[in-house]
Amino acid sequence: MKKVLFLLGELNDDDIDWLLQTGTRQEIAAGTVLIKEGKPIDALYILLTGTFTVSIAELEHREIARLSSGEVVGEMSFLDNRLPSATVQAIEDSLVLSIPRRELAKKLQLDIGFAYGFYRALATILSNRLRRIVNQLGDVKAQALTEVGVDDAVMESTANINLATTRFDWILRRLIDG
């Protein structure tokens, strides 16, 4: 499921316009490291096209995940103000929307409605990620919840899923075509 849909479903059209006006469209060449484990980052990224690999040094830089269109990256470092815990590298030529950390922090302080939607979306994204990790570790209860589709059920119960999908398609068209 595209994680950006959680975000776009919680924000309004003015918020989306702000993201597009404030963010920068960046073309990322295959092999480029977008986020380096242990190195500060100054942006939150929305992956628009392409595929990225996630790895961590402790596991000898072995791939632990693949990310593609619709993923939000750098959110953990943004939220807890700590250095990234993984490296994110482009596998193929890709396109991202880079939202500057300072501008985003300022917007969150000044716009309560935006802050509410933004933090609610990130909390949902991180909650679903944690559920999947717990499931992978073999927790029987989490496994039962996942088997009945908790991740998808949360998304499907969101009244704004169709609007969020339309917004993401609109962002892609706007940033890719012009």
Side-chain angles (χ1 to χ4, degrees):
M1 188 64 64
K2 294 180 178 184
K3 303 307 182 236
V4 76
L5 297 181
F6 286 104
L7 183 61
L8 299 179
E10 293 293 333
L11 301 177
N12 64 42
D13 289 344
D14 290 339
D15 296 334
I16 304 302
D17 281 338
W18 181 87
L19 287 173
L20 289 170
Q21 291 171 3
T22 305
T24 303
R25 176 187 186 268
Q26 290 183 326
E27 294 180 16
I28 308 295
T32 301
V33 172
L34 182 66
I35 295 174
K36 177 74 172 159
E37 180 178 353
K39 301 291 182 187
I41 57 173
D42 61 355
L44 180 89
Y45 302 97
I46 297 174
L47 307 183
L48 301 171
T49 64
T51 306
F52 292 77
T53 184
V54 180
S55 63
I56 57 175
E58 192 169 303
L59 295 177
E60 299 174 5
H61 302 285
R62 184 176 51 114
E63 179 181 305
I64 60 169
R66 282 202 179 205
L67 306 174
S68 60
S69 175
E71 295 287 343
V72 177
V73 184
E75 77 285 1
M76 288 173 44
S77 292
F78 180 81
L79 288 173
D80 66 12
N81 205 27
R82 294 171 61 188
L83 297 174
S85 58
T87 295
V88 178
Q89 183 174 14
I91 295 174
E92 59 188 357
D93 291 346
S94 303
L95 183 65
V96 302
L97 177 63
S98 172
I99 304 157
R101 178 185 199 103
R102 263 193 201 139
E103 295 300 317
L104 182 54
K106 192 183 323 178
K107 174 77 169 167
L108 290 165
Q109 285 182 331
L110 298 175
D111 188 335
I112 293 172
F114 178 85
Y116 170 80
F118 180 84
Y119 286 126
R120 180 174 161 81
L122 288 188
T124 303
I125 291 167
L126 294 173
S127 174
N128 283 322
R129 184 180 299 154
L130 181 58
R131 287 181 188 275
R132 277 193 309 278
I133 291 169
V134 168
N135 180 43
Q136 289 172 350
L137 294 175
D139 184 296
V140 175
K141 184 176 180 181
Q143 184 174 5
L145 289 173
T146 302
E147 286 172 1
V148 297
V150 169
D151 191 18
D152 291 336
V154 170
M155 270 307 288
E156 289 172 11
S157 70
T158 302
N160 295 331
I161 187 65
N162 291 333
L163 179 59
T165 302
T166 301
R167 286 175 171 162
F168 185 65
D169 291 342
W170 178 73
I171 287 170
L172 285 175
R173 282 192 308 276
R174 187 166 164 187
L175 292 175
I176 292 173
D177 297 339

